[in-house]
Amino acid sequence: GQQVMQIPQYQHVQEGEDFTTYCNSSTTLSNIQWYKQRPGGHPVFLIQLVKSGEVKKQKRLTFQFGEAKKNSSLHITATQTTDVGTYFCAVNNNDMRFGAGTRLTVKP
Amino acid sequence: GAGVSQSPRYKVAKRGQDVALRCDPISGHVSLFWYQQALGQGPEFLTYFQNEAQLDKSGLPSDRFFAERPEGSVSTLKIQRTQQEDSAVYLCASSPTSGSFNEQFFGPGTRLTVL
């Protein structure tokens, strides 16, 4: 199945700083999903991107899908302690392949 | 409304025991997925059901793993002769439509520890 590389593996920021995680694939993706998993919790769907070059915003979160549909990013502006968790990208071909995730910690 | 539920939430098994993990998806959801999540890793796909049909079981790591969804609702993941490497959180997710091209709703998971 398709493999996705997600970087960085960890990110520690001061509250108020921005945060970005990247997801890269060697093959063209039909779509990509992003999930957030709080410590001790389960993955929660954030968004799905389908179109080339698509940009979607959810409050302080901005999601982008690359023009070639091979990469995607999630950017959080002015992080808050409630943003703590692991952010996963996921791609599918009937099955679902998750990236390894980026674990975000926020220092108040 | 009720979300996806899983039971038990925690299971400790001795090596060699058989275990059965249950998933109750959201009512009416067509698709059901099982994942295995090791500590510090992303969920790894195990198997996918569309209603009662198991359309993809390519992720099941060995023939000790078996899943069923006989009536197209509740699903059971069975692991026979458990081994230590089976220790992980087993997540179930459901989706209202067929395929994995839409939002998946995850249950809280079952944490399996094999001693």
Side-chain angles (χ1 to χ4, degrees):
Chain A
Q2 292 174 318
Q3 299 295 325
V4 286
M5 297 299 295
Q6 195 171 350
I7 55 172
Q9 188 175 2
Y10 302 96
Q11 186 78 59
H12 179 71
V13 300
Q14 189 79 33
E15 189 173 23
E17 291 180 337
D18 292 356
F19 159 77
T20 305
T21 174
Y22 301 89
C23 194
N24 300 298
S25 170
S26 58
T27 60
T28 302
L29 304 170
S30 57
N31 62 76
I32 193 164
Q33 297 179 357
W34 286 92
Y35 289 79
K36 176 184 179 181
Q37 186 172 22
R38 293 182 183 274
H42 56 275
V44 174
F45 176 84
L46 295 177
I47 209 157
Q48 176 166 276
L49 304 173
V50 179
K51 300 178 182 177
S52 168
E54 189 170 16
V55 178
K56 288 189 176 180
K57 293 189 176 183
Q58 291 179 351
K59 297 183 180 179
R60 294 178 295 104
L61 276 61
T62 302
F63 304 84
Q64 292 189 334
F65 203 7
E67 292 289 342
K69 300 182 72 174
K70 289 185 176 181
N71 55 72
S72 181
S73 66
L74 158 58
H75 179 83
I76 302 178
T77 303
T79 55
Q80 301 175 357
T81 55
T82 53
D83 296 326
V84 164
T86 302
Y87 293 85
F88 295 100
C89 60
V91 300
N92 56 62
N93 246 347
N94 290 322
D95 65 2
M96 180 78 88
R97 302 286 172 172
F98 280 75
T102 297
R103 180 176 297 179
L104 172 65
T105 56
V106 179
K107 184 177 181 181
Chain B
V4 178
S5 60
Q6 292 184 245
S7 60
R9 291 294 311 279
Y10 303 91
K11 178 68 178 178
V12 178
K14 292 182 179 179
R15 190 174 57 181
Q17 281 186 331
D18 297 349
V19 298
L21 312 180
R22 177 186 169 107
C23 173
D24 285 78
I26 294 173
S27 178
H29 276 199
V30 169
S31 296
L32 186 145
F33 303 82
W34 282 99
Y35 296 89
Q36 181 190 61
Q37 187 173 29
L39 188 63
Q41 301 296 316
E44 293 283 340
F45 171 82
L46 294 177
T47 188
Y48 160 61
F49 290 86
Q50 181 178 315
N51 296 309
E52 70 278 4
Q54 188 174 21
L55 299 187
D56 189 341
K57 54 181 181 179
S58 62
L60 295 177
S62 77
D63 58 7
R64 297 185 295 104
F65 286 71
F66 172 77
E68 60 182 4
R69 194 187 185 197
E71 298 180 357
S73 55
V74 172
S75 177
T76 304
L77 176 66
K78 298 179 180 178
I79 309 174
Q80 296 178 325
R81 304 180 302 282
T82 52
Q83 300 178 7
Q84 287 188 324
E85 60 261 32
D86 299 334
S87 295
V89 175
Y90 290 85
L91 294 164
C92 173
S94 70
S95 178
T97 57
S98 60
S100 57
F101 298 99
N102 290 287
E103 174 180 0
Q104 294 190 19
F105 296 81
F106 281 82
T110 294
R111 182 178 297 276
L112 172 65
T113 303
V114 181
L115 303 178

